[in-house]
Amino acid sequence: MSAAPQKPWRQRLGPVHTWVGIVLGGLLFAVFWMGTLSVFDREIDRWMMPATRLASPAGPTRLASPAGPPRLDAIAPLAQSLVPAGARQWRVDWATPRTPVLRLSWQTRDGQRELRYLDPATLAPMADPGTLGASGFFFPFHYGLMLSWNDLGKWLVGLAGMAMLVLLVSGVVIHRKLFADFFTFRPRKRLPRSSLDLHNVTGVLGLPFHFLITLSGLVIFWAVYFPQAHQGVYGSGAKAKAAVQAEGYGRYRPNATPATPAAPAKPLASLDAMAAQARARWGPGAEPYFVRVWKPGQADSYVELRRSYASEVSMNLDQLYFDAATGEFLHQFQAAPAMAVQRFFSGLHFIQFEHPLLRGLYFALGLSGCVLIATGQVFWLAARRKAAAPDARWRLVEALAVASTTGLIAATLGFLCANRLLPQHAQWGATDRPGLELLAFFVLWSLALAHGLGRAMQAWREQAWAIAALAASALLLNAVTTDAYTRVTTPWAVWGVDAALLALAATAIYAARRLKARGLAT
């Protein structure tokens, strides 16, 4: 009896593509959505932190320029007065065109991290913005889902990344007319057909980007996903991990000379002189982007300077260390070739270099990835609805799909609205203002899931209307609660966020009207 012939690869990969997308599509959308927003996280920070919307420097009386190096010797006394005694370290990050404020941060003896913003013109401490902002929420959510226990969030994001690679490869195999798919989009066809067309177009259009951005995301956390790579050489345990950090990322600790009552700490040497030494050692055009004082106030204190990567793709790890009391050069670190490859992939993924046009392209392609994932889910649901009557499991899948796409977008907009609605010093029990913003996000996200369970296919249209209303509300709240439209020095980033909100509201209205006219079942 002859064996049954095996199905061709295209047919065998079809179910893989379908089920990986259905099971992990919601997680993938969350990662892509937050990653796309993180491309402009500093600009969204300006929207969420009105006090940091500083004007460009004007006149010789300014002590520093948002785009230039600060006067570190003028900042040092202020830092020493603000940083509590016994802190492990404090650091100052340069102001940049995207973040036009100086950032003074420190780590206390018990590991807590604090952050204060300084006006680069006067070096005066600014009021607490009362928010995590996009860089403090969207960005960490993108790579860790705000789940730090045993790196659970990073493992889930890694699982989503591997799933995305499987989906991209299987999608290329199962689509025989890949080139034709790029030019085929029939928006007036019924929902299964039009959603599949849009799925194919965005998949083909952004295929190189989607593959590279996913692969680079996995490479960034190589030590988490593939610890055997370093455990085979360094072993396991705290000392081995410290050795990996020191040789891979440049953690430096000079030979300790314990402070005694007979040997008190000496005054801090000129930080500006150390920065000048760093520029000379790194060569023409090189500039530090932060200075960090380790063990401040102790006899064995030392200073670290990092070279900026604003003008290059790779996120270099170039570091210089100086004795804090004498300014004497102690150590220089440059990443080994293998680590330099990892930093190049990190630079491709994080796009921290200054290139506005390329940043806009990343944002557009990131949105295309979100559309790719969402339309894949919509197509499957619409096709299943035509084939059979929905059962309880199918309704759960649809509710999760609704919550993870339109629900997540609505929750994000609710987070922005809460930022503009909450009083500056809002408090609810032990929850401070940043915590209340997060609470608004997760409550709205939970409500979106409940709404999806209760309203089934109608939830898509109703949540599209909710997105339009929330986006318009966020735009109006920015105009009403800040001086964004009454001053001529408002940064373009703030108006850019408002323009994106307006475009999102218009897109949501169009989608809601289309869904009402044709219905999800046709």
Side-chain angles (χ1 to χ4, degrees):
M1 184 176 180
S2 60
Q6 288 189 340
K7 293 181 179 180
W9 268 102
R10 184 175 293 110
Q11 295 182 23
R12 292 160 66 183
L13 286 178
V16 174
H17 187 84
T18 298
W19 286 107
V20 170
I22 293 302
V23 173
L24 294 173
L27 177 58
L28 266 173
F29 187 91
V31 173
F32 258 77
W33 172 250
M34 290 301 188
T36 301
L37 296 180
S38 296
V39 172
F40 286 111
D41 58 348
R42 306 294 181 182
E43 288 73 15
I44 300 174
D45 282 349
R46 303 289 73 74
W47 192 95
M48 300 184 70
M49 304 175 185
T52 67
R53 302 173 185 177
L54 301 183
S56 300
T61 59
R62 298 185 72 90
L63 296 175
S65 162
R71 284 179 50 188
L72 299 176
D73 290 343
I75 297 174
L78 175 63
Q80 291 169 332
S81 67
L82 291 175
V83 177
R88 294 180 180 179
Q89 48 94 352
W90 59 263
R91 79 181 245 182
V92 174
D93 287 74
W94 274 223
T96 70
R98 296 184 64 208
T99 306
V101 291
L102 294 167
R103 286 163 290 167
L104 169 64
S105 57
W106 62 86
Q107 186 180 21
T108 61
R109 186 177 301 171
D110 58 359
Q112 296 296 316
R113 296 184 182 274
E114 302 290 341
L115 173 66
R116 293 292 297 273
Y117 292 109
L118 308 178
D119 187 324
T122 63
L123 302 185
M126 303 174 70
D128 183 0
T131 179
L132 295 176
S135 57
F137 177 48
F138 295 164
F139 179 56
F141 193 98
H142 164 63
Y143 67 80
L145 305 178
M146 307 297 282
L147 299 173
S148 58
W149 179 76
N150 284 342
D151 288 328
L152 177 60
K154 292 177 182 176
W155 278 105
L156 290 174
V157 171
L159 176 64
M162 291 299 297
M164 188 64 178
L165 293 180
V166 170
L167 289 168
L168 291 174
V169 173
S170 60
V172 170
V173 172
I174 64 179
H175 289 293
R176 291 177 293 182
K177 300 178 180 179
L178 198 64
F179 185 76
D181 287 341
F182 181 74
F183 298 97
T184 304
F185 178 44
R186 293 157 286 190
R188 298 192 178 279
K189 291 287 186 178
R190 294 187 175 186
L191 187 64
R193 182 70 264 172
S194 60
S195 60
L196 182 59
D197 283 349
L198 189 54
H199 181 73
N200 293 337
V201 168
T202 52
V204 176
L205 175 67
L207 181 61
F209 172 82
H210 298 150
F211 189 88
L212 181 60
I213 207 71
T214 304
L215 179 63
S216 59
L218 293 170
V219 171
I220 290 170
F221 292 113
W222 65 275
V224 175
Y225 303 141
F226 190 53
Q228 294 82 359
H230 59 83
Q231 289 177 356
V233 177
Y234 296 92
S236 57
K239 289 185 177 181
K241 187 175 182 179
V244 173
Q245 292 290 328
E247 295 191 28
Y249 294 92
R251 300 291 177 85
Y252 171 73
R253 291 180 177 84
N255 295 328
T257 55
T260 65
K266 297 178 181 179
L268 185 64
S270 172
L271 294 176
D272 284 325
M274 298 181 205
Q277 286 190 60
R279 296 184 187 99
R281 284 183 175 272
W282 284 327
E287 176 68 30
Y289 76 98
F290 79 74
V291 62
R292 177 158 45 196
V293 178
W294 291 93
K295 300 182 178 180
Q298 300 183 32
D300 56 349
S301 178
Y302 58 101
V303 176
E304 172 192 358
L305 285 154
R306 292 280 187 105
R307 183 166 73 87
S308 172
Y309 37 74
S311 59
E312 59 190 64
V313 175
S314 179
M315 296 176 68
N316 71 76
L317 292 169
D318 294 354
Q319 305 159 35
L320 292 174
Y321 294 86
F322 301 87
D323 185 277
T326 66
E328 177 187 359
F329 171 72
L330 297 175
H331 178 72
Q332 181 171 2
F333 176 84
Q334 287 182 304
M339 199 64 194
V341 173
Q342 190 267 356
R343 299 311 294 172
F344 180 77
F345 275 101
S346 298
L348 284 176
H349 192 92
F350 289 126
I351 189 170
Q352 292 301 296
F353 48 88
E354 294 297 337
H355 198 304
L357 182 61
L358 192 54
R359 189 177 301 279
L361 181 61
Y362 265 60
F363 183 77
L365 289 171
L367 287 179
S368 77
C370 295
V371 173
L372 171 69
I373 297 164
T375 51
Q377 293 181 310
V378 169
F379 166 72
W380 185 86
L381 290 167
R384 290 280 296 179
R385 187 180 292 112
K386 285 185 65 177
D391 57 15
R393 291 177 299 176
W394 187 92
R395 291 183 182 278
L396 176 61
V397 170
E398 182 167 44
L400 290 172
V402 170
S404 62
T405 51
T406 55
L408 178 60
I409 297 172
T412 303
L413 294 169
F415 177 74
L416 296 179
C417 289
N419 171 263
R420 295 290 82 236
L421 285 171
L422 289 169
Q424 181 62 30
H425 302 289
Q427 188 90 12
W428 185 39
T431 307
D432 57 6
R433 192 178 189 276
L436 290 174
E437 289 182 358
L438 293 180
L439 183 63
F441 173 87
F442 287 108
V443 167
L444 278 174
W445 203 5
S446 301
L447 290 175
L449 175 60
H451 179 247
L453 287 170
R455 294 290 290 163
M457 67 179 186
Q458 298 301 324
W460 293 97
R461 179 171 57 85
E462 292 167 357
Q463 290 194 18
W465 283 115
I467 289 171
L470 287 167
S473 298
L475 191 157
L476 291 174
L477 286 169
N478 179 48
V480 171
T481 62
T482 73
D483 58 356
Y485 292 90
T486 59
R487 55 184 284 191
V488 296
T489 56
T490 298
W492 68 266
V494 177
W495 292 335
V497 174
D498 277 351
L501 289 171
L502 184 61
L504 179 58
T507 303
I509 291 172
Y510 172 78
R513 289 170 64 89
R514 284 294 309 279
L515 291 173
K516 181 180 180 181
R518 294 180 176 272
L520 281 173
T522 60

